[in-house]
Amino acid sequence: MDIKQEEVTTLHEICVDAGELKRSIREVAVERPIAIIMPMLYRELKNRVIGKIVKELNKCDYVEEILIPLSAENKEEFEQVKRFFSKLQPKHYIIWCNGRKIMKLLRELKEEGINVIKYEGKGRDVWIALGIASLHSYAIALHDADVQTYSELIPAKLLFPILEPELDFKFSKGYYARVNMQKNIIYGRVFRLFLHPLLKALVDEIGYEPDFLNFLRAFRYPLSGEFALTRDVAIDVDVPGDWGIEIGILAEIYRNVARKRICQVDLGFYEHKHQEIGGVEKGLIRMVRDIFKTLLRVLTEEDRVQISETFLTSLRVVYQRVARDCIRQYHADAVFNCLQYDRHLEETIVERFSRHMLEAGKEYLQKPVGTRIPDWLRTMSAKRKIREELFEIVVEENEG
């Protein structure tokens, strides 16, 4: 436990009173309505943890609406998800993001010059849900559907800083310890073995700390998928169309929100489904490649960092050195806490990450233009009532 502050305000879990937290939120929510977004895939319905999440969400009696953007292959899967969430007590809507009616509306949007159809996956689903949530809610919290340690305090902690008038933040980001206390294992490999050492390596290679890197390094867990934001911010952020969504969202917050209106919140210990190392198209390798390309793009846009093949080759060498130093530190921490730690495996993962980092960097040089879905302000200027039309579809499909 510590009380150290960063470049962005850090709200620590010291003696949080859960009852008082909920009471305060409940009072403010009368004037500042709340939405919770929980994107999911159909296959996650088979995950036992989803039942626990529903039980905890039922305790969130202050919520105006819960939106569940869903990727489902057919109507049968969509109806099955609807039946499952019938036990969810707060008002809620399942958004069939790749369903026939929504896809038809997105094709109409494409005719107006905004092509969202080409993006598939979590980025587009979150973008759709943010548009709908911004119709009715002042504060919007987002978290994944595979959180094994989920409790009602996760949305409450995220929402409190942007709801409480005395604080009045615009964006809050969750951070946590990725340690499984039952298995005595440290997780969070993409952050520990890739992003954390990469950010330090970038500073060393560039020769100074660009402001955006300074901003990212202020977050204790920048890859956290849990965050909350106000409606005006939600409609003014581009959403990455690939797996670089967490870094991409932070880049948009960096551009659009004053530093004093941003905070990070301690969510305690956190556990969710672990992905395989994978390859170019899936798993941790896919994440690493997308994150790296997003990072290079933002550094070029915001800090005019010149990226070249020579820069990438040198960065790879520096990254491997910094990552090995991190592994030594994590090993010491694991020994001190009697945690399992396979140092050889971690070194092997770093070698794979570094190889794919270089390949992704070369791909970026070939195609530096981003894969960001335009913000809702631009989208509404192209098709003024699109959020209302989306919501009408969602209501019709949920009542049917």
Side-chain angles (χ1 to χ4, degrees):
M1 180 184 294
D2 66 71
I3 55 171
K4 180 175 179 288
Q5 287 295 332
E6 311 286 352
E7 287 292 318
V8 297
T9 302
T10 303
L11 306 182
H12 303 84
E13 167 67 270
I14 299 173
C15 52
V16 172
D17 185 326
E20 180 63 21
L21 201 69
K22 285 185 63 179
R23 185 195 63 76
S24 297
I25 292 174
R26 198 177 291 114
E27 286 182 0
V28 178
V30 175
E31 296 181 356
R32 294 182 165 185
I34 297 166
I36 295 176
I37 297 174
M38 184 176 72
M40 67 175 292
L41 302 171
Y42 169 74
R43 65 171 178 266
E44 289 179 307
L45 202 62
K46 300 175 183 177
N47 192 338
R48 287 183 301 176
V49 73
I50 199 72
K52 178 185 178 183
I53 291 176
V54 168
K55 289 180 181 178
E56 294 296 313
L57 283 173
N58 280 337
K59 300 175 185 177
C60 300
D61 54 3
Y62 49 78
V63 176
E64 172 70 20
E65 60 185 9
I66 297 174
L67 302 176
I68 304 169
L70 169 72
S71 178
E73 292 299 319
N74 50 57
K75 186 172 177 59
E76 182 180 345
E77 289 184 355
F78 171 65
E79 292 295 335
Q80 190 174 345
V81 172
K82 276 174 56 180
R83 287 193 296 272
F84 177 85
F85 281 102
S86 63
K87 64 187 80 170
L88 185 57
Q89 294 166 11
K91 183 170 63 178
H92 61 277
Y93 300 99
I94 314 300
I95 308 171
W96 188 8
C97 296
N98 57 339
R100 180 179 58 83
K101 293 181 180 179
I102 286 183
M103 292 303 292
K104 179 177 180 293
L105 184 58
L106 295 184
R107 281 192 289 271
E108 294 175 10
L109 181 62
K110 181 181 178 182
E111 293 176 3
E112 301 295 333
I114 297 181
N115 184 7
V116 180
I117 295 175
K118 65 181 179 180
Y119 304 107
E120 294 182 354
K122 181 179 179 181
R124 187 178 71 186
D125 294 356
V126 167
W127 177 82
I128 291 172
L130 284 174
I132 295 173
S134 65
L135 279 170
H136 313 118
S137 299
Y138 170 85
I140 304 165
L142 187 144
H143 62 71
D144 293 328
D146 63 349
V147 185
Q148 297 173 16
T149 49
Y150 189 85
S151 82
E152 60 174 318
L153 276 182
I154 287 181
K157 284 181 174 181
L158 291 171
L159 288 161
F160 180 82
I162 63 177
L163 287 167
E164 172 54 51
E166 189 176 339
L167 300 179
D168 210 25
F169 288 100
K170 293 284 189 178
F171 177 82
S172 70
K173 176 112 171 148
Y175 73 89
Y176 33 67
R178 291 295 313 283
V179 179
N180 186 312
M181 300 304 291
Q182 284 71 46
K183 297 180 180 178
N184 287 342
I185 297 176
I186 304 173
Y187 287 116
R189 291 165 293 178
V190 174
F191 173 66
R192 288 190 302 103
L193 302 178
F194 179 66
L195 185 61
H196 176 58
L198 174 63
L199 295 179
K200 173 64 166 61
L202 279 164
V203 173
D204 291 350
E205 183 61 25
I206 294 170
Y208 66 94
E209 185 174 49
D211 193 52
F212 179 62
L213 289 185
N214 174 266
F215 176 73
L216 275 187
R217 295 178 75 193
F219 288 92
R220 299 191 173 193
Y221 206 90
L223 295 182
S224 157
E226 288 66 39
F227 61 86
L229 69 177
T230 54
R231 172 175 50 211
D232 58 319
V233 176
I235 62 174
D236 197 24
V237 295
D238 294 350
V239 177
D242 55 21
W243 285 19
I245 184 170
E246 286 80 17
I247 296 298
I249 290 290
L250 282 180
E252 288 294 295
I253 298 303
Y254 170 79
R255 292 187 185 103
N256 293 299
V257 182
R259 198 76 55 98
K260 66 182 181 180
R261 291 286 178 255
I262 301 169
C263 70
Q264 57 184 333
V265 185
D266 185 354
L267 299 183
F269 287 99
Y270 181 96
E271 182 70 16
H272 68 74
K273 179 185 175 183
H274 301 287
Q275 299 208 45
E276 299 297 323
I277 296 296
V280 176
E281 296 298 329
K282 64 179 181 179
L284 302 186
I285 296 297
R286 168 76 185 276
M287 291 177 64
V288 161
R289 295 173 73 101
D290 285 352
I291 289 167
F292 188 55
K293 285 188 279 190
T294 299
L295 193 51
L296 292 180
R297 188 171 298 117
V298 178
L299 284 172
T300 302
E301 292 172 347
E302 298 298 328
D303 293 299
R304 307 298 186 267
V305 175
Q306 298 297 310
I307 309 298
S308 66
E309 195 162 330
T310 301
F311 174 88
L312 293 171
T313 302
S314 180
L315 177 63
R316 180 187 181 187
V317 175
V318 178
Y319 157 72
Q320 287 183 309
R321 172 184 60 77
V322 177
R324 284 194 294 270
D325 289 343
C326 289
I327 287 173
R328 175 181 54 78
Q329 293 172 323
Y330 291 128
H331 175 255
D333 212 359
V335 170
F336 183 74
N337 286 282
C338 297
L339 299 172
Q340 297 180 44
Y341 192 80
D342 189 331
R343 192 165 178 172
H344 170 66
L345 177 60
E346 300 257 299
E347 296 262 10
T348 302
I349 292 172
V350 163
E351 290 168 4
R352 292 190 64 183
F353 283 174
S354 72
R355 185 171 67 253
H356 284 277
M357 182 182 82
L358 183 60
E359 291 177 7
K362 291 178 179 178
E363 289 178 5
Y364 167 76
L365 292 176
Q366 295 297 316
K367 187 182 177 182
V369 179
T371 56
R372 293 200 297 260
I373 303 173
D375 63 61
W376 275 101
L377 289 176
R378 179 188 166 189
T379 304
M380 288 185 289
S381 69
K383 193 172 176 59
R384 187 171 180 79
K385 293 291 185 179
I386 185 170
R387 293 183 303 165
E388 289 83 355
E389 291 178 54
L390 275 170
F391 185 59
E392 286 176 11
I393 291 172
V394 171
V395 170
E396 180 184 338
E397 290 186 329
N398 278 260
E399 290 178 350

